[in-house]
Amino acid sequence: MPYAEDSRVFNLPQAEIYALLMDVENFPAYVPYIRAARVVSQSGLVSVAQVTVGVPGLHFTYRCEITETPFEKISIRDLSGPFHYLRCEMLFEALDANRTRVTYRFDSRFRSRLMNAVADPVFSVQLKSTLRALEGFIRRRARRKRR
């Protein structure tokens, strides 16, 4: 699968955007290709999650380890599933009290050549839209809070 990297500035304090992105069960609300996610265990700053992915022509579930560096970084790596490797990280940089730059990096490869062939074109688009989808989610959330 392709490597993807994106960076966006969010009008949220660093702690708030960090907490939002650490809410694993909420991933499907803003990550376009995630259908379900749940934490299966947690020990200190390390969690294990089960994630179900669904895009046209491709559905699978995998387990990953999520390691927190509070308010600065979230690192994700595969533990089981169809990946040869999966690495994802989100970096958080406070620009001021109410603005945070989030940098998203994702790199993975399936064990199966066929899955790579099917996934590459689909995930190329999906991965690049992750932070854009998060922006939309935050706007919708802000509108609900104002009501």
Side-chain angles (χ1 to χ4, degrees):
M1 279 182 5
Y3 173 83
E5 182 170 339
D6 194 8
S7 185
R8 302 277 169 124
V9 174
F10 293 91
N11 292 321
L12 290 173
Q14 186 176 15
E16 188 174 340
I17 188 83
Y18 180 86
L20 180 67
L21 289 170
M22 275 307 302
D23 182 3
V24 172
E25 279 83 11
N26 210 23
F27 283 2
Y30 62 85
V31 181
Y33 49 89
I34 293 181
R35 298 294 170 245
R38 67 182 179 90
V39 173
V40 295
S41 68
Q42 186 170 7
S43 177
L45 298 175
V46 178
S47 302
V48 173
Q50 183 167 305
V51 179
T52 300
V53 172
V55 295
L58 191 64
H59 298 272
F60 59 89
T61 298
Y62 67 96
R63 283 198 177 204
C64 61
E65 179 181 85
I66 303 169
T67 304
E68 300 181 56
T69 305
F71 313 116
E72 294 178 15
K73 181 170 138 180
I74 299 169
S75 299
I76 302 171
R77 70 177 185 88
D78 66 301
L79 295 175
S80 66
F83 293 103
H84 175 63
Y85 67 88
L86 175 144
R87 301 289 180 267
C88 176
E89 67 179 8
M90 290 165 270
L91 306 170
F92 302 83
E93 176 189 359
L95 301 176
D96 59 39
N98 293 306
R99 290 177 40 242
T100 306
R101 179 186 321 281
V102 176
T103 301
Y104 171 79
R105 297 182 184 134
F106 186 96
D107 191 20
S108 69
R109 176 127 321 294
F110 287 107
R111 286 189 189 100
S112 159
R113 283 190 210 166
L114 178 60
M115 283 185 83
N116 281 313
V118 170
D120 278 0
V122 174
F123 278 105
S124 292
V125 174
Q126 295 286 329
L127 291 170
K128 291 175 184 168
S129 69
T130 299
L131 290 184
R132 189 172 49 245
L134 177 60
E135 284 175 325
F137 173 77
I138 290 169
R139 278 193 302 275
R140 290 187 303 277
R141 195 180 112 205
R143 281 194 298 267
R144 282 193 305 268
K145 281 184 177 180
R146 283 181 274 190
R147 292 180 189 171

